[in-house]
C-alpha cells in the first residue's frame, strides 16, 4: 500500500491506522509505504509515530508532486500487488481481505469508493457493475461509455506490480489530474479486469486546501496534458479503447 502524503497534519493518522488495522490478514502479508512529499507542516511528525510498525516503511523526500510520489512508491514496493492510498483517505477494515480472494488471478481488480463528506453525509459510487470479470471493452462501455467517470481514480484499483512495470505504466509527473492518462494506459495494456462490487475505500471530499478542488490554470493544463497523452496512445490498434477517441 503506497500512501502519498502532503500537508495533511493529523489527517494522515486515519489513513495509516486503516492500513494497520486490517481484518482477516496477517501483518507480514503486506507492506505499507508512507511517503512524505516535502510537507511544510507537521505531517512527518504524525507519520513518525508509526515508525515502530514492522511492515511500515517511511520515506521523506523533497516535494515533487503526487505522480512522483506514487512512482517512487511503485519503484520501492516489494509486493506482488500494489494499492495507491491518498493520505487523506482510508480503507474499510475488511479491504485487504476482500481483495485477497482474487489476488493472483488478475492484473487489475477494481472496486467502488465511498465518497465521504462527513459522518452524516456520504455516497457510495458503485459504477453500475456487478461483481465479475469483464473484458476491457465491456468494462469501458459500462463505465465511461455510460458516463460513470468515477471509475477513473487510480486508488479504486489494485494492480499486479509486474503488469505496471512490464508495460512501463507510470503517472505523468508535473501535472494534476494524473489519474486520467494513467487509467487509459492501464486499460490499453490489459485485456480483462475484475470488479468486486463492495465499497472498501473512503474518499474524503471537499477538503480545505485540496489542490484538485481549486479552479486554476494548473488544473486546466493538467487536463490538457492528460488528453494529449491519451491521443498519443495507439488506440486505433486497440479495439477495446478506440471508441473513446
Amino acid at each position: 500500500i503506497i500512501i502519498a502524503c502532503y500537508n495533511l497534519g493529523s489527517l494522515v493518522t486515519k489513513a495509516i491506522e486503516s492500513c494497520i488495522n486490517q481484518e482477516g490478514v496477517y501483518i507480514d502479508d503486506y507492506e505499507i509505504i508512507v511517503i512524505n512529499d516535502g510537507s511544510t507542516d507537521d505531517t512527518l511528525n504524525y507519520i513518525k509515530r508509526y515508525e515502530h510498525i514492522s511492515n511500515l516503511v517511511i520515506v521523506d523526500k523533497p516535494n515533487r508532486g503526487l505522480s512522483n510520489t506514487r512512482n517512487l512508491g511503485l519503484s520501492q514496493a516489494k509486493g506482488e500487488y500494489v494499492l495507491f492510498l491518498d493520505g487523506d483517505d482510508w480503507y474499510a477494515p475488511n479491504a485487504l481481505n476482500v481483495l485477497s480472494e482474487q489476488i493472483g488471478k488478475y492484473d487489475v481488480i477494481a472496486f467502488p469508493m465511498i465518497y465521504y463528506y462527513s459522518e452524516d453525509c456520504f455516497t457510495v459510487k458503485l459504477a453500475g457493475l456487478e461483481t465479475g470479470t469483464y473484458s476491457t471493452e465491456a468494462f469501458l462501455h459500462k463505465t465511461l461509455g455510460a458516463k460513470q467517470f468515477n471509475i477513473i481514480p487510480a486508488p479504486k484499483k489494485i494492480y499486479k506490480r509486474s503488469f505496471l512495470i512490464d508495460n512501463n505504466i507510470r503517472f505523468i509527473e508535473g501535472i494534476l489530474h494524473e489519474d486520467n492518462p494513467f487509467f487509459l494506459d492501464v486499460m490499453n495494456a490489459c485485456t480483462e479486469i475484475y470488479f468486486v462490487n463492495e465499497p472498501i475505500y473512503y474518499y474524503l471530499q471537499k477538503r480545505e486546501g485540496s489542490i484538485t478542488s481549486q479552479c486554476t490554470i494548473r488544473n486546466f493544463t493538467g487536463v490538457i496534458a492528460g488528453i494529449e497523452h491519451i491521443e498519443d496512445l495507439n488506440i486505433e490498434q486497440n479495439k477495446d479503447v478506440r471508441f473513446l477517441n
Side-chain angles (χ1 to χ4, degrees), residues 118-149:
S118 68
E119 291 186 2
D120 300 321
C121 184
F122 55 88
T123 303
V124 179
K125 299 292 182 76
L126 293 176
L129 297 174
E130 297 297 328
T131 295
T133 305
Y134 296 84
S135 68
T136 306
E137 181 180 21
F139 184 80
L140 287 169
H141 275 88
K142 290 178 178 293
T143 56
L144 296 192
K147 298 183 179 180
Q148 297 290 332
F149 301 111

Side-chain angles (χ1 to χ4, degrees), residues 63-189:
N63 179 253
R64 294 289 185 272
L66 179 57
S67 290
N68 176 271
T69 301
R70 287 175 172 172
N71 289 339
L72 176 62
L74 179 59
S75 70
Q76 296 195 4
K78 301 174 183 176
E80 182 181 358
Y81 283 79
V82 293
L83 286 154
F84 298 103
L85 174 64
D86 290 344
D88 52 355
D89 300 333
W90 62 97
Y91 289 121
N94 65 333
L96 296 187
N97 191 36
V98 168
L99 295 174
S100 66
E101 296 180 6
Q102 303 302 328
I103 289 295
K105 302 177 184 178
Y106 302 93
D107 290 332
V108 184
I109 303 169
F111 46 85
M113 280 180 169
I114 300 170
Y115 283 59
Y116 187 90
Y117 299 88
S118 68
E119 291 186 2
D120 300 321
C121 184
F122 55 88
T123 303
V124 179
K125 299 292 182 76
L126 293 176
L129 297 174
E130 297 297 328
T131 295
T133 305
Y134 296 84
S135 68
T136 306
E137 181 180 21
F139 184 80
L140 287 169
H141 275 88
K142 290 178 178 293
T143 56
L144 296 192
K147 298 183 179 180
Q148 297 290 332
F149 301 111
N150 57 294
I151 197 64
I152 290 176
K156 295 193 68 166
K157 304 163 199 73
I158 183 170
Y159 310 85
K160 194 170 187 178
R161 185 165 60 91
S162 61
F163 163 77
L164 296 179
I165 294 173
D166 292 347
N167 289 285
N168 196 30
I169 299 175
R170 302 292 187 276
F171 294 92
I172 299 177
E173 300 192 12
I175 68 168
L176 297 178
H177 305 288
E178 59 287 310
D179 285 1
N180 296 343
F182 183 84
F183 174 77
L184 265 297
D185 279 343
V186 169
M187 293 295 101
N188 194 45

Side-chain angles (χ1 to χ4, degrees), residues 33-86:
I33 303 176
V34 187
I35 306 178
N36 178 51
D37 184 32
S39 296
T40 57
D41 63 357
D42 55 355
T43 296
L44 183 59
N45 292 333
Y46 282 101
I47 294 173
K48 286 184 175 180
R49 295 181 180 183
Y50 301 92
E51 58 188 357
H52 64 284
I53 302 298
S54 61
N55 67 333
L56 187 144
V57 177
I58 298 174
V59 179
D60 184 30
K61 70 177 185 68
N63 179 253
R64 294 289 185 272
L66 179 57
S67 290
N68 176 271
T69 301
R70 287 175 172 172
N71 289 339
L72 176 62
L74 179 59
S75 70
Q76 296 195 4
K78 301 174 183 176
E80 182 181 358
Y81 283 79
V82 293
L83 286 154
F84 298 103
L85 174 64
D86 290 344

Side-chain angles (χ1 to χ4, degrees), residues 223-234:
V223 172
I224 295 301
I227 292 173
E228 291 175 345
H229 178 78
I230 292 169
E231 290 179 342
D232 287 340
L233 290 175
N234 189 25

Side-chain angles (χ1 to χ4, degrees), residues 6-19:
Y6 176 72
N7 283 0
L8 298 173
S10 61
L11 271 178
V12 72
T13 62
K14 191 162 189 175
I16 295 174
E17 289 184 7
S18 77
C19 296

